């Protein structure tokens, strides 16, 4: 049964189109730098925002109706969400989805019944996947909403809560593998603390690593060949979150020997909450071989929290796609972990949010490719470090063939170096603007 009857398949109509239910830039088969747009941009629908969240905030209840004709909290509703989700993805040409365990079924009193429901719904999802060719990008377990996780999951002070979290991870991995998911995410929303007065930070971090190691061992034992991901976020809901940013998560993964099985899922809004640009966290991940997947959204610089907006900032999307192209693409994809603003509560708004996000990233891809093909930025960066390639002492430094003593003698002879050369930031920003708007 169709749910979005008023909406037909979203087509590419070009930048001049005034049709709000058409793509202006996302042209799935257009080839950019030798690859189709849809291959550069494996977009995914986030089950939780799109099919579950109705706009509730701290001050008010839902504005959007996400019942899809069924009674909320029942398995009929869970199935209606599957129907709605697949129709939605098909109409937008989105080929992947991401889910938490509790997004796809209502949680029961005990885990045994929740797991039975997960088996039932995943059978239903699997049939839809086979019918449509739509795939699973990643799965995860929600270990932050239920009150039992108020002190974290892997980092909980309670061994029973740890055990329950482990059971959820096990089942979420089963379902992810059953649905052929490419990745499995750990977002440690409550893996952190409020005050050191009640917290053993070292112990908590060791326990998180224990949970992750068990997940890797179990996942590999049931044939999961994809990547595990940590999704860094510095704060919210906790004051201090252990996976603060890409650099912190990479250090953690290396410390506990998890770096071969894990990569990072970088969310734009989380990077900016950590005081970085989105592209900074992408670069840090990429240079460490850990850029896995992206949660494509954006925050609001005037608000200090995680607003999960649909991305519309073309400049940032361009910088993101520049990083992704330079890194040779993603093994994961672009999950729209984004929601409509609360006053945007209609079905059209749901589609227009995704159209906005997909067009923004398509435009970012087009412009990033132009920056790379233009070559001036790359050329400038290469020139900026030329002294390490072109001078004797520079070559010795990078080949590790010198010492402090030799460098000190060299400096003494030199007296003082010239200034290092202009960084030409404004010049480079002009180049980017001329490519974006020229
Ligand atoms: C919340 C996170 C969450 C993860 C998945 O801020 O973005 O939605 O992506 O648990
Ligand atoms: Ca996210
Ligand atoms: Ca977020």
């Amino acid at each position: 049964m169709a749910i979005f009857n008023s909406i037909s398949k979203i087509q590419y109509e070009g930048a001049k189109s005034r049709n709000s239910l058409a793509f202006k830039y996302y042209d799935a088969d257009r080839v950019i730098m030798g690859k189709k747009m849809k291959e550069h941009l494996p977009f995914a629908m986030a089950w939780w925002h799109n099919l579950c969240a109705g706009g509730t905030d701290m001050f008010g209840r839902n504005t959007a109706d996400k019942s899809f004709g069924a009674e909320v909290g029942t398995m009929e509703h869970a199935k209606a969400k599957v129907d709605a989700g697949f129709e939605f993805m098909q109409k937008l040409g989105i080929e992947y989805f991401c889910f938490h365990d509790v997004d796809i079924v209502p949680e029961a009193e005990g885990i045994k019944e929740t797991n039975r429901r997960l088996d039932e719904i995943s059978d239903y999802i699997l049939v839809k996947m086979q019918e449509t060719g739509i795939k699973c990008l990643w799965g995860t377990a929600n270990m932050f909403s239920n009150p039992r996780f108020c002190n974290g999951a892997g980092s909980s002070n309670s061994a029973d809560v740890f055990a329950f979290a482990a059971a959820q991870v096990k089942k979420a991995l089963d379902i992810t593998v059953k649905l052929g998911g490419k990745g499995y995410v750990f977002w440690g929303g409550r893996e952190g603390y409020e005050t050191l007065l009640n917290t053993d930070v070292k112990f908590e971090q060791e326990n998180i690593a224990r949970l992750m190691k068990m997940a890797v061992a179990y996942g590999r034992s049931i044939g999961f060949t994809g990547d595990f991901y940590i999704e860094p976020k510095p704060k919210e809901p906790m004051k201090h979150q252990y996976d603060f940013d890409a650099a912190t998560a990479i250090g953690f993964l290396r410390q506990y020997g998890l770096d071969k099985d894990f990569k990072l899922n970088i969310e734009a809004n989380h990077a900016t909450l950590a005081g970085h640009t989105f592209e900074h966290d992408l670069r840090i991940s990429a240079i460490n071989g850990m850029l896995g997947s992206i949660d494509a959204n954006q925050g609001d610089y005037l608000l200090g929290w995680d607003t999960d907006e649909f991305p519309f900032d073309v400049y940032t999307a361009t910088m993101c796609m520049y990083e992704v192209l330079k890194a040779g693409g993603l093994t994961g994809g672009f999950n729209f972990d984004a929601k409509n603003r609360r006053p945007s509560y209609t079905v059209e708004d749901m589609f227009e949010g995704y159209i906005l996000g997909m067009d923004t990233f398509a435009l970012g891809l087009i412009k990033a490719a132009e920056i790379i093909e233009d070559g001036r930025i790359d050329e400038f960066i290469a020139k900026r470090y030329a002294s390490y390639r072109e001078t004797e002492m520079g070559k010795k430094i990078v080949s590790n063939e010198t010492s402090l003593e030799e460098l000190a003698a060299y400096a003494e002879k030199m007296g003082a170096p010239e200034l290092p050369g202009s960084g030409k930031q404004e010049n480079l920003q002009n180049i980017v603007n001329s490519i974006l708007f020229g």
Side-chain angles (χ1 to χ4, degrees):
M1 186 190 71
I3 290 174
F4 304 109
N5 285 314
S6 60
I7 314 272
S8 21
K9 182 144 175 49
I10 309 299
Q11 310 284 353
Y12 167 74
E13 291 185 3
K16 297 260 177 323
S17 167
R18 305 287 285 257
N19 177 1
S20 60
L21 291 170
F23 294 120
K24 315 298 179 299
Y25 302 99
Y26 182 64
D27 184 4
D29 291 322
R30 177 172 165 191
V31 174
I32 307 273
M33 290 180 80
K35 242 164 71 175
K36 287 183 179 172
M37 264 195 181
K38 65 173 178 194
E39 290 158 7
H40 280 289
L41 298 167
F43 289 129
M45 177 193 76
W47 210 276
W48 53 103
H49 284 310
N50 202 46
L51 304 173
C52 310
T56 291
D57 69 11
M58 258 111 75
F59 300 94
R61 58 181 186 274
N62 280 354
T63 52
D65 177 6
K66 298 274 173 89
S67 63
F68 306 117
E71 190 189 331
V72 175
T74 62
M75 283 304 281
E76 286 62 48
H77 181 229
K79 286 186 183 150
K81 289 198 289 187
V82 178
D83 294 341
F86 278 83
E87 187 188 336
F88 184 86
M89 289 185 274
Q90 276 191 297
K91 287 192 164 161
L92 280 155
I94 288 181
E95 292 184 354
Y96 293 90
F97 63 88
C98 300
F99 71 98
H100 300 84
D101 44 4
V102 306
D103 303 336
I104 56 175
V105 291
E107 202 179 351
E109 283 290 310
I111 194 161
K112 211 168 161 199
E113 170 60 13
T114 306
N115 287 350
R116 193 204 58 74
R117 293 178 187 178
L118 284 167
D119 289 336
E120 185 185 334
I121 204 73
S122 52
D123 285 343
Y124 192 65
I125 293 175
L126 206 49
V127 171
K128 290 271 175 189
M129 290 172 72
Q130 281 153 1
E131 277 169 19
T132 60
I134 288 171
K135 301 174 279 288
C136 174
L137 184 62
W138 52 257
T140 187
N142 177 326
M143 305 191 295
F144 44 87
S145 294
N146 194 294
R148 66 174 66 94
F149 296 121
C150 64
N151 293 336
S155 66
S156 177
N157 58 302
S158 156
D160 279 355
V161 173
F162 184 102
F164 194 94
Q168 256 186 272
V169 170
K170 177 174 180 288
K171 190 64 184 180
L173 269 166
D174 287 336
I175 303 297
T176 302
V177 170
K178 176 171 170 183
L179 301 180
K182 288 171 80 169
Y184 183 86
V185 164
F186 281 89
W187 170 61
R190 301 214 190 256
E191 311 290 33
Y193 69 93
E194 298 295 321
T195 172
L196 287 175
L197 293 176
N198 64 13
T199 305
D200 185 340
V201 171
K202 184 166 184 287
F203 180 72
E204 292 199 355
Q205 293 202 355
E206 286 165 358
N207 265 357
I208 295 170
R210 286 188 183 101
L211 181 59
M212 288 180 176
K213 279 190 183 156
M214 286 188 247
V216 170
Y218 179 71
R220 298 307 180 212
S221 81
I222 58 165
F224 176 61
T225 54
D227 288 319
F228 289 87
Y229 301 122
I230 281 186
E231 182 183 321
K233 185 177 182 182
K235 58 188 170 193
E236 199 204 12
M238 297 304 253
K239 178 168 165 180
H240 300 276
Q241 282 170 203
Y242 295 134
D243 304 324
F244 189 92
D245 60 359
T248 312
I250 291 166
F252 173 87
L253 290 171
R254 291 209 175 123
Q255 185 181 352
Y256 293 103
L258 289 157
D259 49 313
K260 298 285 169 289
D261 294 283
F262 273 77
K263 288 194 167 73
L264 300 182
N265 180 40
I266 298 297
E267 178 175 318
N269 202 164
H270 297 181
T272 51
L273 280 174
H276 302 307
T277 57
F278 182 22
E279 56 269 28
H280 169 88
D281 257 20
L282 294 172
R283 178 71 64 94
I284 296 297
S285 308
I287 62 175
N288 285 284
M290 288 204 191
L291 178 54
S293 206
I294 283 178
D295 270 12
N297 64 11
Q298 75 179 63
D300 186 320
Y301 291 108
L302 300 184
L303 304 173
W305 63 90
D306 190 17
T307 59
D308 285 348
E309 297 183 34
F310 281 98
F312 61 85
D313 179 344
V314 175
Y315 194 97
T316 297
T318 302
M319 293 306 147
C320 164
M321 292 315 299
Y322 180 82
E323 295 303 321
V324 171
L325 288 174
K326 287 276 182 182
L330 299 175
T331 46
F334 295 80
N335 168 45
F336 285 112
D337 193 352
K339 59 186 177 208
N340 290 108
R341 297 306 83 195
R342 191 164 183 267
S344 304
Y345 48 76
T346 69
V347 159
E348 285 73 23
D349 292 320
M350 286 174 71
F351 281 84
E352 287 178 21
Y354 272 77
I355 291 170
L356 174 64
M358 291 165 81
D359 268 345
T360 300
F361 270 81
L363 199 44
L365 168 65
I366 295 167
K367 293 297 167 184
E370 283 179 27
I371 292 174
I372 291 171
E373 277 158 2
D374 173 89
R376 280 175 288 173
I377 304 286
D378 278 341
E379 201 185 306
F380 180 79
I381 293 174
K383 264 206 215 127
R384 195 157 180 244
Y385 298 93
S387 60
Y388 291 95
R389 293 189 305 272
E390 292 168 3
T391 70
E392 282 316 305
M393 198 43 91
K395 284 191 223 164
K396 274 187 150 185
I397 293 171
V398 294
S399 56
N400 304 313
E401 280 167 3
T402 185
S403 63
L404 280 192
E405 292 93 320
E406 191 186 12
L407 290 166
Y410 174 82
E412 224 172 83
K413 228 164 113 197
M414 170 172 55
E418 313 253 304
L419 283 177
S422 168
K424 285 196 165 294
Q425 183 170 330
E426 300 76 6
N427 168 289
L428 299 165
Q429 287 166 331
N430 262 325
I431 292 174
V432 170
N433 275 358
S434 70
I435 292 171
L436 282 180
F437 303 106

